[in-house]
Amino acid sequence: MAKENNTSPKKPKFSSWWIYGIIAVLLIGFQFFSNANLSNTKKTTTSELQEYLRNGDVAKILIVTNTRQAKVFLTNEALAKDVHKDVAEKPFALSNAESPQYVLDYGDPQNFENDINNAKVEFNLDTVIDYTTESNVFGDILLSILPFVLIIGIWIYLMRRMSGGGGGGAGGQIFNIGKSKAKLFDEKTDTRTSFKDVAGLEGAKEEVEEIVDFLRNPDKYTSLGGKIPKGALLVGPPGTGKTLLAKAVAGEAKVPFFSLSGSDFVEMFVGVGASRVRDLFKQAKDKSPAIIFIDEIDAIGRARGKNNITGSNDERENTLNQLLTEMDGFGTNTNVIVLAATNRADVLDKALMRAGRFDRQIYVDLPDIRERKEIFEVHLRPIKTAETLDLDFLAKQTPGFSGADIANVCNEAALIAARKEKKAVTKQDFLDAVDRIVGGLEKKNKIITPGEKETIAYHEAGHATVSWMLEHAAPLVKVTIVPRGQSLGAAWYLPEERLIVRPDQMKDEMCATLGGRAAERVIFNKISTGALSDLEKVTKQARAMVTIYGLNDKIGNITYYDSSGQDSYGFSKPYSEETAQTIDKEISILIEEQYIRAIELLEKNKDKLTTLAQRLLEKEVIFKDDLEKIFGKRPFDKDVAEEADKKDADKIESEEAARKEEEKIESDADKK
């Protein structure tokens, strides 16, 4: 199919402007030839004319009264003279009319006529003097109708622009305003994306592949009495590959694929959205079986009746009502499947989400470590990488990254390698790319005083120390005091991918986050504004523990989280003022407990904290190996824990073997 697409010649588009151009050229040419512009006629003067009259060379003078021009015709004897050899040749003309040899522009007609008559009398000439008027009929007609032609031409051009022929725009589509803006993908001409280009997302891909199979082989399912699903909703965080899945469906389905955004239905005119929905489904029905893909459907699919300020939502609600009717109403379209994508499924109308409209909700989650490796393999195909590049390592270094983030990492790594004039992209380039995306660009030229630099060093060393000492805190990868983006220093951790988080794990993370401010208190007995982002993070965590996850003993097993996103409580709080005070108090207690805990940890390890901060001031960037030299092996690491477990297992096994040996000896003694 691809070869056919490449070899098929594109037909040149015929434009009506070619016709207009040809007509204009013909008119100009006709005018050119009709005026006898190819003749050998020369201009002369009054004195030269007097000389020609004196010599008896002039046979006839034709005076054009309206243009004040005289045409001079010579005798045959005069044409044979050398003086007139330039005008003696017979000119090329379309008509049989005789052409003059000379033309003369005169001033006062009376004086000109007197001069000629005097010359005739003086030299006894029989020169014929005649009078005439000339008019260019074609030119006059052209000049008279040209303004009207221009006005009509401009009017036609504007009408075409307004009807959408000249492209979109704010004033475009005034006549086709109710027509759908959906882009139709043709499998023969458009670039195809296949399921091979979609890495990871195995569950979602399987669901979508089944939908494609529905359209390819409908009899397989309908023969058993089953009905083809009406629609599927792709839900997930931004950048996880929802639109990419839809593109893969467009490439694999081999059926007409209509693609548009939810905002394409929105217009300033009333009733346009509903009209475009009707037109879209009519087009899809005409080409059925077909797929309609609506990206960012939350633009028109929001719950009705919310924030209804004097008809502000009427137009959007009309559009949604029409969409509901088209998807599952009396006029249901057969063999038309609707795919939609959104990252705000919580705000969608319940009527849109019910079975019979969107029968399936396909959740496209952030990729895990195995899926991230597959995504790296896809995005690294066009990139020249070093042979020693470990994809497993890259997958481990990018927890929480979406597919779009990984694509950005690969591109950024290639740019960094090119900037360093490398022949291939190495492991370090990828690490630099991750640092740049997460932390921002390094600002080495930022002016920082020695005192501020020391505070930053102890702050970051506090984070590193506390996280090293706590079991459930994320293991440290790298610490730097080089300013990046908005931050004056940064610490990179490799968080463990957990599906369930327990209170002690969250408390350890909070304690590690507060380690920076605790270090400032321990070393300088002062605190600064540098802990703003840390305080924001721990406050959100503590509030979530108390009000969302029900992890606080005082509040109990209660959550005030609304998963539907409908904001059922409005501007009121779902709890009393007394409970609000309790919540604030418990959040404060929770944070202060972890702050005191971080201070106690740093007081015990003050010498190591100081050593780490001094090394950080010296090197500006330190890694996990530097911390191991100061603190020793982290006892909570998996490799250390596994080694300890192995030793314990070996010890138990040897003890068990010794016990069995003793029992055997005792039994032998009893037998004897």
Side-chain angles (χ1 to χ4, degrees):
M1 287 297 292
K3 289 182 180 179
E4 290 177 8
N5 296 339
N6 294 334
T7 55
S8 60
K10 290 186 177 179
K11 295 181 180 178
K13 291 184 178 179
F14 182 78
S15 176
S16 59
W17 292 103
W18 284 102
I19 299 174
Y20 304 147
I22 292 168
I23 293 171
V25 169
L26 290 174
L27 292 174
I28 293 169
F30 185 76
Q31 177 74 4
F32 182 74
F33 285 111
S34 66
N35 287 337
N37 289 328
L38 297 179
S39 67
N40 292 329
T41 303
K42 288 181 67 176
K43 277 208 168 191
T44 187
T45 60
T46 307
S47 58
E48 288 178 348
L49 180 62
Q50 290 287 339
E51 186 179 347
Y52 298 156
L53 288 169
R54 193 183 304 117
N55 297 331
D57 296 341
V58 181
K60 178 182 176 182
I61 297 175
L62 186 63
I63 299 173
V64 185
T65 56
N66 62 331
T67 60
R68 292 195 178 187
Q69 192 178 60
K71 296 181 179 182
V72 180
F73 298 86
L74 302 180
T75 61
N76 293 330
E77 292 81 8
L79 291 172
K81 295 180 180 180
D82 292 338
V83 180
H84 306 295
K85 65 180 181 180
D86 294 337
V87 296
E89 294 180 8
K90 194 171 181 179
F92 173 79
L94 296 177
S95 63
N96 295 323
E98 190 180 1
S99 297
Q101 280 75 42
Y102 294 100
V103 291
L104 169 70
D105 293 325
Y106 59 86
D108 185 49
Q110 190 66 40
N111 293 335
F112 181 68
E113 291 174 17
N114 291 335
D115 291 342
I116 294 174
N117 290 324
N118 293 333
K120 281 181 69 176
V121 172
E122 185 179 350
F123 303 116
N124 195 21
L125 302 173
D126 56 353
T127 304
V128 179
I129 300 172
D130 203 357
Y131 298 88
T132 187
T133 57
E134 287 185 352
S135 62
N136 189 348
V137 179
F138 183 79
D140 293 342
I141 294 171
L142 190 64
L143 287 172
S144 61
I145 67 171
L146 188 62
F148 297 100
V149 171
L150 287 174
I151 292 170
I152 293 169
I154 292 169
W155 183 80
I156 292 170
Y157 174 74
L158 291 175
M159 289 300 103
R160 286 194 171 186
R161 290 280 296 183
M162 293 172 72
S163 63
Q173 311 241 346
I174 194 149
F175 292 107
N176 291 330
I177 196 161
K179 301 292 183 182
S180 170
K181 292 183 178 181
K183 183 181 178 183
L184 177 61
F185 284 86
D186 190 355
E187 71 273 9
K188 294 181 181 179
T189 57
D190 294 310
T191 306
R192 290 175 59 184
T193 303
S194 66
F195 286 124
K196 293 179 182 177
D197 301 318
V198 183
L201 312 177
E202 294 301 328
K205 196 164 40 172
E206 190 177 332
E207 294 256 14
V208 173
E209 282 177 343
E210 193 175 336
I211 289 171
V212 173
D213 195 43
F214 283 149
L215 293 173
R216 284 184 178 176
N217 309 303
D219 297 337
K220 177 181 173 183
Y221 301 93
T222 56
S223 61
L224 298 175
K227 292 181 181 179
I228 296 174
K230 298 288 177 55
L233 184 65
L234 300 170
V235 184
T240 50
K242 300 184 293 295
T243 308
L244 182 64
L245 268 176
K247 287 181 180 178
V249 171
E252 296 277 352
K254 295 183 180 177
V255 297
F257 187 91
F258 297 87
S259 173
L260 76 167
S261 173
S263 60
D264 289 337
F265 295 105
V266 181
E267 198 68 59
M268 63 181 285
F269 303 106
V270 177
V272 171
S275 176
R276 285 178 179 172
V277 171
R278 283 192 295 270
D279 186 66
L280 172 63
F281 278 85
K282 183 178 178 297
Q283 291 181 39
K285 188 179 179 181
D286 293 341
K287 294 182 178 289
S288 65
I291 295 175
I292 296 172
F293 174 62
I294 306 173
D295 202 4
E296 308 297 344
I297 196 174
D298 52 278
I300 59 167
R302 287 178 178 266
R304 292 165 290 180
K306 300 293 180 184
N307 303 322
N308 196 8
I309 306 170
T310 324
S312 61
N313 281 343
D314 285 351
E315 175 58 19
R316 183 178 55 76
E317 289 185 5
N318 289 340
T319 307
L320 176 58
N321 290 338
Q322 187 63 46
L323 180 63
L324 296 176
T325 305
E326 292 289 347
M327 288 188 69
D328 189 21
F330 282 109
T332 302
N333 297 297
T334 56
N335 291 335
V336 176
I337 290 180
V338 182
L339 279 180
T342 181
N343 51 19
R344 296 291 312 279
D346 54 331
V347 303
L348 294 180
D349 196 276
K350 291 180 181 178
L352 191 64
M353 304 286 286
R354 76 159 174 84
R357 291 196 174 106
F358 284 113
D359 300 281
R360 301 186 174 188
Q361 289 189 39
I362 304 170
Y363 194 76
V364 186
D365 205 353
L366 290 170
D368 57 21
I369 186 167
R370 179 183 54 82
E371 291 173 334
R372 289 200 297 273
K373 182 183 176 182
E374 294 175 4
I375 295 169
F376 266 112
E377 288 174 353
V378 170
H379 290 299
L380 289 178
R381 285 174 192 167
I383 296 175
K384 294 180 182 178
T385 57
E387 294 180 0
T388 57
L389 188 65
D390 187 8
L391 295 184
D392 291 314
F393 174 77
L394 294 180
K396 287 177 183 176
Q397 293 296 316
T398 50
F401 277 47
S402 65
D405 294 332
I406 292 172
N408 194 18
V409 166
C410 294
N411 184 59
E412 195 66 44
L415 296 178
I416 290 169
R419 204 176 295 125
K420 295 177 181 176
E421 296 183 354
K422 293 183 179 179
K423 300 294 182 184
V425 187
T426 60
K427 171 183 167 183
Q428 188 58 45
D429 297 324
F430 280 98
L431 292 176
D432 293 342
V434 172
D435 293 350
R436 181 165 183 177
I437 290 168
V438 174
L441 187 65
E442 283 189 353
K443 297 180 180 178
K444 293 185 178 180
N445 57 349
K446 197 165 187 148
I447 300 170
I448 301 173
T449 62
E452 288 175 337
K453 195 172 183 180
E454 188 181 14
T455 304
I456 296 165
Y458 274 100
H459 184 100
E460 299 301 332
H463 283 305
T465 304
V466 176
S467 64
W468 195 265
M469 297 295 176
L470 297 175
E471 181 179 357
H472 301 295
L476 188 82
V477 175
K478 175 182 171 182
V479 185
T480 179
I481 57 171
V482 178
R484 278 184 176 270
Q486 297 295 320
S487 61
L488 299 173
W492 280 265
Y493 302 92
L494 197 59
E496 185 182 345
E497 294 181 57
R498 305 185 184 112
L499 298 176
I500 297 174
V501 184
R502 293 186 169 83
D504 54 342
Q505 295 170 339
M506 295 184 78
K507 287 177 180 178
D508 281 3
E509 289 175 3
M510 289 169 64
C511 186
T513 308
L514 291 167
R517 169 157 284 193
E520 293 179 33
R521 173 64 71 185
V522 169
I523 300 298
F524 306 107
N525 199 26
K526 295 178 184 177
I527 55 176
S528 67
T529 59
L532 174 60
S533 59
D534 300 334
L535 296 177
E536 184 184 1
K537 184 182 175 182
V538 296
T539 305
K540 284 182 179 177
Q541 282 182 312
R543 185 168 291 279
M545 287 180 69
V546 176
T547 62
I548 296 176
Y549 299 116
L551 300 177
N552 184 261
D553 295 333
K554 202 73 174 282
I555 300 297
N557 300 317
I558 296 175
T559 182
Y560 302 106
Y561 176 65
D562 184 14
S563 62
S564 66
Q566 304 294 330
D567 193 19
S568 308
Y569 306 112
F571 294 104
S572 63
K573 295 177 181 176
Y575 42 78
S576 65
E577 287 297 324
E578 186 181 348
T579 306
Q581 291 178 7
T582 308
I583 289 171
D584 293 340
K585 188 178 178 182
E586 289 300 314
I587 291 172
S588 179
I589 290 170
L590 194 57
I591 294 171
E592 291 305 315
E593 280 178 355
Q594 300 311 312
Y595 179 57
I596 293 166
R597 185 184 173 198
I599 290 176
E600 289 173 355
L601 274 171
L602 293 174
E603 289 282 4
K604 290 178 184 177
N605 300 276
K606 193 173 180 179
D607 54 339
K608 294 177 180 179
L609 171 66
T610 306
T611 306
L612 183 61
Q614 293 301 322
R615 186 169 293 188
L616 196 53
L617 283 167
E618 182 186 343
K619 293 186 175 182
E620 289 192 335
V621 181
I622 60 174
F623 298 90
K624 185 180 178 182
D625 298 338
D626 297 289
L627 268 76
E628 286 183 352
K629 290 177 184 176
I630 297 171
F631 297 99
K633 285 279 187 181
R634 192 166 182 260
F636 314 113
D637 284 351
K638 284 187 177 179
D639 53 352
V640 178
E642 284 173 4
E643 192 175 332
D645 292 341
K646 190 178 178 183
K647 287 180 180 178
D648 292 339
D650 292 340
K651 187 179 178 183
I652 292 168
E653 192 176 343
S654 60
E655 289 177 354
E656 185 69 22
R659 187 176 61 79
K660 285 182 178 179
E661 187 67 29
E662 288 178 1
E663 288 177 354
K664 187 179 179 184
I665 294 169
E666 288 177 0
S667 62
D668 290 341
D670 291 339
K671 285 178 182 177
K672 289 178 181 179

